[in-house]
Amino acid sequence: MKIWQLVMIHLLTHTLLFFTPSSQPTNNQTSNYGVDLPVLLSFKSFITSDPTRALSSWSWDPAGNGTSTASLPVYCEWVGVACSNRRHPGHVTAIRLQGIGLAGTICPQLGNLTHLRVLDLSANNLAGEIPGSLGRCTSLHALDLGVNYLSGSMPASLGLLSKLTFLNVTHNNLTGDIPMPFSNLSALSNLSMSSNHFHGQIPSWLGNLTSLTHLELAQNGLTGHVPPGLGKMTNLVKFDIHDNKLEGPFPPSMFNISSITLLDIGFNQLSGSLPLDIGFKLPKINVLATHVNQFKGPIPASLSNASSLKYLLLRGNQYHGLIPRDIGIHGRFRSFSLGHNVLQATEPRDWDFLTSLTNCSNLGILDLEQNNLEGVMPVTIANLSKELKWIALGSNKIAGTIPAGLVAFQKLTMLILADSLFTGTLPLDIGQLPSLQYLDLSHNRFDGKIPQSLGNITQLSNLSLSNNFLDGSIPASLGNLTKLTSLDLSSNSLKGGIPQEILSIPSLTVLLNLSNNALSGSIPTQIGNLNSLSTIDLSMNKLSGEIPDAVSSCVQLNSLYLQENLLEGQIPKGFSSLRGLENLDLSNNNLAGAIPDFLQTFELLTYLNLSFNNLSGPVPNTRIFGNATIVSLAGNSMLCGGPPFLKLPSCPSHQANSTESVS
Ligand SMILES: *[C@@H]1O[C@H](CO)[C@@H](O)[C@H](O)[C@H]1NC(C)=O
Ligand SMILES: *[C@@H]1O[C@H](CO)[C@@H](O)[C@H](O)[C@H]1NC(C)=O
Ligand SMILES: *[C@@H]1O[C@H](CO)[C@@H](O)[C@H](O)[C@H]1NC(C)=O
Ligand SMILES: *[C@@H]1O[C@H](CO)[C@@H](O)[C@H](O)[C@H]1NC(C)=O
Ligand SMILES: *[C@@H]1O[C@H](CO)[C@@H](O)[C@H](O)[C@H]1NC(C)=O
Ligand SMILES: *[C@@H]1O[C@H](CO)[C@@H](O)[C@H](O)[C@H]1NC(C)=O
Ligand SMILES: *[C@@H]1O[C@H](CO)[C@@H](O)[C@H](O)[C@H]1NC(C)=O
Ligand SMILES: *[C@@H]1O[C@H](CO)[C@@H](O)[C@H](O)[C@H]1NC(C)=O
Ligand SMILES: *[C@@H]1O[C@H](CO)[C@@H](O)[C@H](O)[C@H]1NC(C)=O
Ligand SMILES: *[C@@H]1O[C@H](CO)[C@@H](O)[C@H](O)[C@H]1NC(C)=O
Ligand SMILES: *[C@@H]1O[C@H](CO)[C@@H](O)[C@H](O)[C@H]1NC(C)=O
Ligand SMILES: *[C@@H]1O[C@H](CO)[C@@H](O)[C@H](O)[C@H]1NC(C)=O
């Protein structure tokens, strides 16, 4: 889900525009240093780091320029300071020090700047609490403390700032709830408290702040219902409460606020449905995001009238019915994400929406995965925007071959067609998708060979072709995929040996799964190169020869599956280095010799299957070997001893054969 959050963060990034006073001073202040001087000097003294040296201009020589003939106090020319008050010349009206890496805390003395209209300390490294004394800056119009490390709760005293129109504390470490005194901030038009640790409920009195245009409470721990009274905020432009713990019915009144351009309620437990006339009620909607909630009902056809709609994120709900045929007709979509719902397509014309999406020349994300879409993949998919980065159509019942022309999508980074009814061979030109990072074609009916050209997609990090009817050998060219972290070719009909090249991919850290094929030959010793890999599964093949001692170099392994092969020889002594193993399955081979004693000391083992081999000699009788749910040893006729539940014959007491046991 992280990936969707990234999309949202991306599209919510904006630059701030601040109130900028334009009046010029009409008086002068020759006879004093200005009453605000001590406040600014103490502000500076609370700053512990100033990497751009912005505050180096904040200095003052009592014998020198403090009594200069300049018409305003010296500090009015300091970087980031403005004094432009007609009636009270010489008073600081704005401090703007955003994005310059200031560290330290915010000085409580700032509360003395009663003429301050703008305080912008955003995007610094300020820590500590927001001083309650700021409630005395009664001229304050804009307060931006966003993107710092501020902690503690919001001072209730800020509710006294009756002129405040802009309050942004986004992306800090603030906690507590939305203080009740904020109900007095009747001038407030922008309230941004996203990305903190605020908790408690969204108060219903927020709906009384009818000047609000921007309400951002995303990524906090807010709970309870969304109060229906919020529908009174008839000037609302952006409403963002995504990623909280809100639950219950989402108030339909919110869909009557015709000024809304962004409505993002994703990642909560809200229920509801989209009004059928939403496209007319929210004519300016640009971002409509209810992803990962419990919304039901159809996707209204009226959305095709919302001519500004660029981001439709409805993934992860229970929307049902057909996807409206003209939904893309306005041509604006950048992200069309309807995955994980119960949407239907049964007849060819139910796919008409895809043709309408070909109007969207900036479409970057097409996500329809995990729905009930049936039918043959329409060839018009090849006419979709060449800007596409993600195509996710998996877990439907889509049949047919991969349409020709895929190679035109040069910006594609993710292609998921898994778990469907696709047939035919993999396109030979698939290697000409240079940006592809994630390719999942598993659980289909693809046949033919794995194209060698796959080895040309050097950005590939996840490749799964498992559970198809692919045959032929594994192309050695896959060894060129130096960013691959996970390779799954399991459950096909692949033949031949395991190419040593693919065992030399240093980036493989997650999975190498070649199981359930017809691979033969011995396990190449290059397997020892996979020393960062956590799971190797070569089970259910025709691999023969001994298990190479080189496997002992795969020290990050937590699962090793070699069962159902033709492996022989002993369990390598070097396995004693695989202390992180949780799962080890060597069953159904021809392994001989003794069970190594060191296996008893593998603290993490929860599954050890050595059954149906020719192992012999004594079974250790301690630790995991005493636990029937961990250890399986059946079908090794020459074992003896061990815990009683194994019902093995007791070991002969002669010394003669004890040399066999490995310690
Ligand atoms: C609040 O600040 C954040 C971070 O600077 C910014 O992304 C967001 O757009 C601001 N909110 C408003 C309403 O200006
Ligand atoms: C500044 O004020 C003083 C007296 O308050 C006045 O004599 C002087 O002319 C003023 N200077 C300017 C540049 O306005
Ligand atoms: C005031 O004096 C300080 C220190 O001498 C100097 O750095 C600064 O530039 C002076 N400012 C003005 C406006 O003259
Ligand atoms: C400024 O504020 C501080 C703390 O809020 C207070 O102790 C001090 O008396 C004030 N100074 C002036 C000159 O008002
Ligand atoms: C509110 O935030 C938006 C977006 O950041 C900005 O365009 C607008 O000017 C802000 N309004 C006020 C009153 O600051
Ligand atoms: C954020 O606040 C929590 C307590 O609310 C504290 O444990 C944590 O260390 C703080 N993180 C930072 C980066 O200040
Ligand atoms: C709001 O302001 C009024 C008058 O200024 C005051 O009486 C009231 O206590 C304030 N409400 C809150 C919740 O602070
Ligand atoms: C909100 O407004 C309603 C009437 O519109 C009023 O009854 C209620 O007291 C107000 N709430 C607050 C906290 O001001
Ligand atoms: C891989 O790319 C190289 C260079 O771009 C090209 O010469 C070669 O034919 C490609 N191989 C395959 C199998 O597509
Ligand atoms: C890719 O792999 C093949 C087969 O292993 C090899 O012949 C070829 O040189 C490799 N290409 C690149 C660009 O490394
Ligand atoms: C046996 O192992 C299982 C799985 O690790 C564990 O849940 C169980 O508690 C163990 N039983 C005994 C008796 O140690
Ligand atoms: C030692 O083991 C072998 C089989 O591994 C067996 O044939 C032989 O009888 C055993 N010798 C003794 C003394 O138990």
Side-chain angles (χ1 to χ4, degrees):
M1 286 306 160
K2 275 277 155 59
I3 210 158
W4 301 98
Q5 287 169 304
L6 284 179
V7 175
M8 293 312 297
I9 288 164
H10 177 73
L11 65 89
L12 295 175
T13 305
H14 291 284
T15 42
L16 290 173
L17 289 174
F18 284 97
F19 170 82
T20 320
S22 55
S23 54
Q24 290 300 314
T26 56
N27 205 337
N28 70 46
Q29 195 88 15
T30 54
S31 55
N32 60 44
Y33 306 133
V35 292
D36 292 341
L37 181 65
V39 178
L40 294 178
L41 291 177
S42 57
F43 175 86
K44 182 178 174 179
S45 73
F46 278 64
I47 299 300
T48 55
S49 170
D50 174 19
T52 70
R53 298 184 43 78
L55 301 189
S56 65
S57 68
W58 288 40
S59 61
W60 155 81
D61 172 8
N65 59 15
T67 54
S68 76
T69 56
S71 61
L72 287 172
V74 54
Y75 54 71
C76 294
E77 297 185 358
W78 289 354
V79 169
V81 178
C83 319
S84 41
N85 190 320
R86 257 176 236 276
R87 276 182 296 156
H88 307 281
H91 278 290
V92 174
T93 55
I95 299 176
R96 292 188 185 85
L97 293 167
Q98 67 271 35
I100 54 172
L102 294 181
T105 55
I106 301 174
C107 151
Q109 248 97 355
L110 282 183
N112 293 328
L113 298 179
T114 49
H115 297 275
L116 193 65
R117 297 166 64 96
V118 176
L119 178 59
D120 182 359
L121 304 176
S122 62
N124 284 295
N125 299 321
L126 297 168
E129 302 204 353
I130 299 174
S133 61
L134 288 183
R136 290 193 282 123
C137 299
T138 48
S139 300
L140 214 50
H141 282 65
L143 176 58
D144 194 344
L145 303 176
V147 195
N148 278 290
Y149 297 99
L150 300 169
S151 55
S153 51
M154 287 294 275
S157 60
L158 298 185
L160 298 168
L161 301 173
S162 59
K163 294 184 177 152
L164 204 60
T165 60
F166 182 100
L167 175 57
N168 195 338
V169 295
T170 287
H171 215 290
N172 277 287
N173 198 15
L174 295 163
T175 178
D177 54 13
I178 305 173
M180 174 75 180
F182 281 23
S183 61
N184 269 353
L185 296 175
S186 54
L188 202 59
S189 69
N190 286 15
L191 177 59
S192 304
M193 301 173 71
S194 294
S195 301
N196 281 288
H197 305 294
F198 291 114
H199 48 75
Q201 307 210 350
I202 298 179
S204 62
W205 50 255
L206 261 188
N208 289 6
L209 303 183
T210 52
S211 301
L212 275 178
T213 60
H214 292 68
L215 179 58
E216 300 173 343
L217 302 174
Q219 294 181 299
N220 280 295
L222 299 171
T223 50
H225 292 197
V226 177
L230 296 193
K232 289 189 285 177
M233 301 186 289
T234 51
N235 292 303
L236 212 52
V237 173
K238 294 197 175 175
F239 180 68
D240 186 0
I241 54 169
H242 82 264
D243 208 351
N244 277 290
K245 295 173 187 150
L246 300 163
E247 60 187 9
F250 183 70
S253 57
M254 296 307 291
F255 294 115
N256 292 336
I257 307 176
S258 60
S259 48
I260 281 194
T261 66
L262 178 146
L263 182 80
D264 187 353
I265 62 173
F267 296 113
N268 281 293
Q269 286 122 46
L270 296 165
S271 55
S273 59
L274 300 177
L276 295 183
D277 53 355
I278 187 170
F280 301 105
K281 285 180 144 175
L282 304 181
K284 300 178 179 168
I285 191 85
N286 184 301
V287 178
L288 177 60
T290 73
H291 52 293
V292 196
N293 274 294
Q294 288 147 20
F295 270 61
K296 287 192 168 78
I299 295 177
S302 68
L303 281 176
S304 55
N305 289 71
S307 60
S308 302
L309 191 55
K310 293 194 177 107
Y311 298 89
L312 183 63
L313 308 185
L314 306 181
R315 181 185 170 87
N317 285 280
Q318 289 118 44
Y319 290 109
H320 70 258
L322 302 179
I323 300 174
R325 63 188 307 266
D326 290 330
I327 193 149
I329 200 127
H330 56 66
R332 293 290 178 84
F333 281 125
R334 286 164 185 268
S335 188
F336 190 77
S337 175
L338 309 185
H340 290 259
N341 280 294
V342 281
L343 298 166
Q344 271 181 301
T346 43
E347 322 230 345
R349 62 162 191 243
D350 298 344
W351 284 91
D352 284 355
F353 71 90
L354 205 63
T355 310
S356 87
L357 288 176
T358 62
N359 290 315
C360 302
S361 55
N362 286 313
L363 190 66
I365 292 177
L366 176 66
D367 162 29
L368 300 171
E369 68 180 353
Q370 200 157 333
N371 277 293
N372 293 332
L373 304 176
E374 289 176 32
V376 173
M377 186 79 255
V379 289
T380 52
I381 192 170
N383 299 336
L384 289 171
S385 165
K386 302 306 170 268
E387 297 299 311
L388 270 170
K389 291 191 177 70
W390 297 356
I391 298 179
L393 304 177
S395 303
N396 280 294
K397 297 189 188 101
I398 306 175
T401 56
I402 294 185
L406 199 65
V407 55
F409 298 108
Q410 287 287 297
K411 296 187 177 170
L412 210 56
T413 60
M414 187 168 89
L415 178 61
I416 303 182
L417 304 178
D419 206 3
S420 273
L421 305 171
F422 286 104
T423 51
T425 55
L426 304 181
L428 292 181
D429 58 5
I430 197 162
Q432 291 167 37
L433 293 174
S435 314
L436 206 56
Q437 294 169 21
Y438 199 106
L439 176 61
D440 189 350
L441 306 179
S442 64
H443 293 272
N444 278 292
R445 297 167 182 185
F446 291 117
D447 56 23
K449 297 195 177 359
I450 299 177
Q452 268 212 311
S453 68
L454 273 179
N456 269 7
I457 312 179
T458 51
Q459 298 303 310
L460 212 51
S461 72
N462 287 65
L463 173 59
S464 179
L465 305 176
S466 75
N467 290 276
N468 280 292
F469 303 118
L470 299 169
D471 57 21
S473 56
I474 299 175
S477 65
L478 295 188
N480 295 346
L481 299 175
T482 53
K483 292 190 175 167
L484 207 57
T485 60
S486 173
L487 174 61
D488 190 351
L489 306 178
S490 64
S491 299
N492 280 290
S493 306
L494 299 170
K495 291 188 269 291
I498 299 174
Q500 60 178 64
E501 287 83 354
I502 69 165
L503 301 179
S504 306
I505 303 175
S507 54
L508 272 182
T509 49
V510 179
L511 174 67
L512 172 64
N513 192 348
L514 306 178
S515 69
N516 199 15
N517 279 292
L519 298 171
S520 56
S522 57
I523 300 173
T525 57
Q526 283 80 2
I527 197 167
N529 294 335
L530 298 174
N531 55 13
S532 307
L533 188 56
S534 78
T535 300
I536 294 179
D537 190 347
L538 306 179
S539 65
M540 296 189 270
N541 279 293
K542 296 174 181 165
L543 299 170
S544 56
E546 299 198 358
I547 301 173
D549 201 43
V551 175
S552 319
S553 303
C554 306
V555 290
Q556 297 297 325
L557 272 184
N558 80 33
S559 299
L560 177 61
Y561 302 102
L562 301 176
Q563 71 271 20
E564 295 187 52
N565 278 292
L566 308 168
L567 298 167
E568 57 195 29
Q570 302 206 359
I571 298 173
K573 294 189 180 63
F575 270 28
S576 61
S577 62
L578 304 181
R579 306 195 63 83
L581 276 180
E582 292 167 30
N583 303 292
L584 176 61
D585 194 341
L586 305 177
S587 65
N588 290 284
N589 279 292
N590 299 320
L591 299 171
I595 296 175
D597 270 347
F598 58 73
L599 286 176
Q600 303 179 74
T601 66
F602 282 20
E603 310 253 342
L604 303 176
L605 264 186
T606 54
Y607 180 71
L608 174 65
N609 193 347
L610 304 177
S611 55
F612 300 99
N613 279 291
N614 299 321
L615 299 170
S616 60
V619 173
N621 197 4
T622 58
R623 303 203 195 202
I624 56 161
F625 286 92
N627 188 329
T629 64
I630 297 181
V631 179
S632 309
L633 299 173
N636 288 282
S637 56
M638 291 176 288
L639 290 173
C640 65
F645 70 82
L646 288 175
K647 300 197 172 74
L648 293 171
S650 53
C651 295
S653 51
H654 317 285
Q655 290 288 305
N657 277 356
S658 65
T659 49
E660 288 257 345
S661 76
V662 184
S663 55

